[in-house]
PDB file of all heavy atoms in Angstrom:
ATOM      1  N   ALA A 181      10.716   6.245 -46.810  1.00 76.00           N
ATOM      2  CA  ALA A 181       9.693   5.222 -47.031  1.00 76.00           C
ATOM      3  C   ALA A 181       9.502   4.930 -48.507  1.00 76.00           C
ATOM      4  O   ALA A 181       9.235   3.788 -48.900  1.00 76.00           O
ATOM      5  CB  ALA A 181       8.373   5.674 -46.406  1.00 76.00           C
ATOM      6  N   LEU A 182       9.645   5.930 -49.363  1.00 77.00           N
ATOM      7  CA  LEU A 182       9.514   5.711 -50.808  1.00 77.00           C
ATOM      8  C   LEU A 182      10.680   4.888 -51.354  1.00 77.00           C
ATOM      9  O   LEU A 182      10.509   4.142 -52.328  1.00 77.00           O
ATOM     10  CB  LEU A 182       9.449   7.058 -51.531  1.00 77.00           C
ATOM     11  CG  LEU A 182       8.170   7.881 -51.305  1.00 77.00           C
ATOM     12  CD1 LEU A 182       8.294   9.256 -51.943  1.00 77.00           C
ATOM     13  CD2 LEU A 182       6.958   7.155 -51.847  1.00 77.00           C
ATOM     14  N   ARG A 183      11.827   5.007 -50.717  1.00 77.00           N
ATOM     15  CA  ARG A 183      12.987   4.232 -51.165  1.00 77.00           C
ATOM     16  C   ARG A 183      13.009   2.828 -50.565  1.00 77.00           C
ATOM     17  O   ARG A 183      13.692   1.950 -51.078  1.00 77.00           O
ATOM     18  CB  ARG A 183      14.278   4.967 -50.801  1.00 77.00           C
ATOM     19  CG  ARG A 183      14.504   6.235 -51.610  1.00 77.00           C
ATOM     20  CD  ARG A 183      15.779   6.952 -51.146  1.00 77.00           C
ATOM     21  NE  ARG A 183      16.110   8.076 -52.003  1.00 77.00           N
ATOM     22  CZ  ARG A 183      15.591   9.297 -51.873  1.00 77.00           C
ATOM     23  NH1 ARG A 183      14.689   9.520 -50.926  1.00 77.00           N
ATOM     24  NH2 ARG A 183      15.951  10.266 -52.685  1.00 77.00           N
ATOM     25  N   ALA A 184      12.301   2.633 -49.474  1.00 74.00           N
ATOM     26  CA  ALA A 184      12.227   1.310 -48.838  1.00 74.00           C
ATOM     27  C   ALA A 184      10.774   1.030 -48.478  1.00 74.00           C
ATOM     28  O   ALA A 184      10.400   1.058 -47.300  1.00 74.00           O
ATOM     29  CB  ALA A 184      13.121   1.268 -47.613  1.00 74.00           C
ATOM     30  N   PRO A 185       9.935   0.756 -49.475  1.00 73.00           N
ATOM     31  CA  PRO A 185       8.491   0.633 -49.231  1.00 73.00           C
ATOM     32  C   PRO A 185       8.098  -0.557 -48.364  1.00 73.00           C
ATOM     33  O   PRO A 185       7.064  -0.523 -47.706  1.00 73.00           O
ATOM     34  CB  PRO A 185       7.918   0.486 -50.649  1.00 73.00           C
ATOM     35  CG  PRO A 185       9.053  -0.049 -51.474  1.00 73.00           C
ATOM     36  CD  PRO A 185      10.291   0.555 -50.898  1.00 73.00           C
ATOM     37  N   ASN A 186       8.896  -1.593 -48.345  1.00 73.00           N
ATOM     38  CA  ASN A 186       8.542  -2.793 -47.584  1.00 73.00           C
ATOM     39  C   ASN A 186       9.174  -2.829 -46.199  1.00 73.00           C
ATOM     40  O   ASN A 186       9.074  -3.838 -45.502  1.00 73.00           O
ATOM     41  CB  ASN A 186       8.980  -4.043 -48.366  1.00 73.00           C
ATOM     42  CG  ASN A 186       8.255  -4.161 -49.696  1.00 73.00           C
ATOM     43  OD1 ASN A 186       7.079  -3.804 -49.799  1.00 73.00           O
ATOM     44  ND2 ASN A 186       8.954  -4.652 -50.717  1.00 73.00           N
ATOM     45  N   GLN A 187       9.804  -1.747 -45.820  1.00 72.00           N
ATOM     46  CA  GLN A 187      10.493  -1.707 -44.531  1.00 72.00           C
ATOM     47  C   GLN A 187       9.701  -0.863 -43.547  1.00 72.00           C
ATOM     48  O   GLN A 187       9.221   0.210 -43.868  1.00 72.00           O
ATOM     49  CB  GLN A 187      11.894  -1.120 -44.706  1.00 72.00           C
ATOM     50  CG  GLN A 187      12.702  -1.098 -43.432  1.00 72.00           C
ATOM     51  CD  GLN A 187      14.120  -0.615 -43.691  1.00 72.00           C
ATOM     52  OE1 GLN A 187      14.788  -1.112 -44.600  1.00 72.00           O
ATOM     53  NE2 GLN A 187      14.578   0.334 -42.906  1.00 72.00           N
ATOM     54  N   LYS A 188       9.559  -1.378 -42.344  1.00 74.00           N
ATOM     55  CA  LYS A 188       8.844  -0.653 -41.301  1.00 74.00           C
ATOM     56  C   LYS A 188       9.822   0.168 -40.495  1.00 74.00           C
ATOM     57  O   LYS A 188      10.727  -0.358 -39.849  1.00 74.00           O
ATOM     58  CB  LYS A 188       8.109  -1.632 -40.394  1.00 74.00           C
ATOM     59  CG  LYS A 188       7.254  -0.950 -39.340  1.00 74.00           C
ATOM     60  CD  LYS A 188       6.498  -1.955 -38.499  1.00 74.00           C
ATOM     61  CE  LYS A 188       5.629  -1.274 -37.456  1.00 74.00           C
ATOM     62  NZ  LYS A 188       4.872  -2.255 -36.624  1.00 74.00           N
ATOM     63  N   GLY A 189       9.656   1.488 -40.528  1.00 70.00           N
ATOM     64  CA  GLY A 189      10.555   2.376 -39.815  1.00 70.00           C
ATOM     65  C   GLY A 189      11.869   2.558 -40.545  1.00 70.00           C
ATOM     66  O   GLY A 189      12.025   2.166 -41.705  1.00 70.00           O
ATOM     67  N   ILE A 190      12.824   3.163 -39.859  1.00 74.00           N
ATOM     68  CA  ILE A 190      14.140   3.440 -40.443  1.00 74.00           C
ATOM     69  C   ILE A 190      15.139   2.433 -39.891  1.00 74.00           C
ATOM     70  O   ILE A 190      15.252   2.249 -38.680  1.00 74.00           O
ATOM     71  CB  ILE A 190      14.577   4.881 -40.102  1.00 74.00           C
ATOM     72  CG1 ILE A 190      13.563   5.873 -40.667  1.00 74.00           C
ATOM     73  CG2 ILE A 190      15.968   5.176 -40.647  1.00 74.00           C
ATOM     74  CD1 ILE A 190      13.812   7.303 -40.256  1.00 74.00           C
ATOM     75  N   HIS A 191      15.859   1.780 -40.789  1.00 73.00           N
ATOM     76  CA  HIS A 191      16.807   0.752 -40.379  1.00 73.00           C
ATOM     77  C   HIS A 191      17.917   1.372 -39.542  1.00 73.00           C
ATOM     78  O   HIS A 191      18.327   2.514 -39.759  1.00 73.00           O
ATOM     79  CB  HIS A 191      17.395   0.058 -41.609  1.00 73.00           C
ATOM     80  CG  HIS A 191      18.100  -1.223 -41.273  1.00 73.00           C
ATOM     81  ND1 HIS A 191      19.443  -1.276 -40.958  1.00 73.00           N
ATOM     82  CD2 HIS A 191      17.640  -2.501 -41.173  1.00 73.00           C
ATOM     83  CE1 HIS A 191      19.788  -2.522 -40.698  1.00 73.00           C
ATOM     84  NE2 HIS A 191      18.715  -3.289 -40.828  1.00 73.00           N
TER      85      HIS A 191
END
Side-chain angles (χ1 to χ4, degrees):
L182 291 174
R183 290 177 173 84
N186 297 325
Q187 183 175 310
K188 184 178 181 180
I190 300 173
H191 195 270

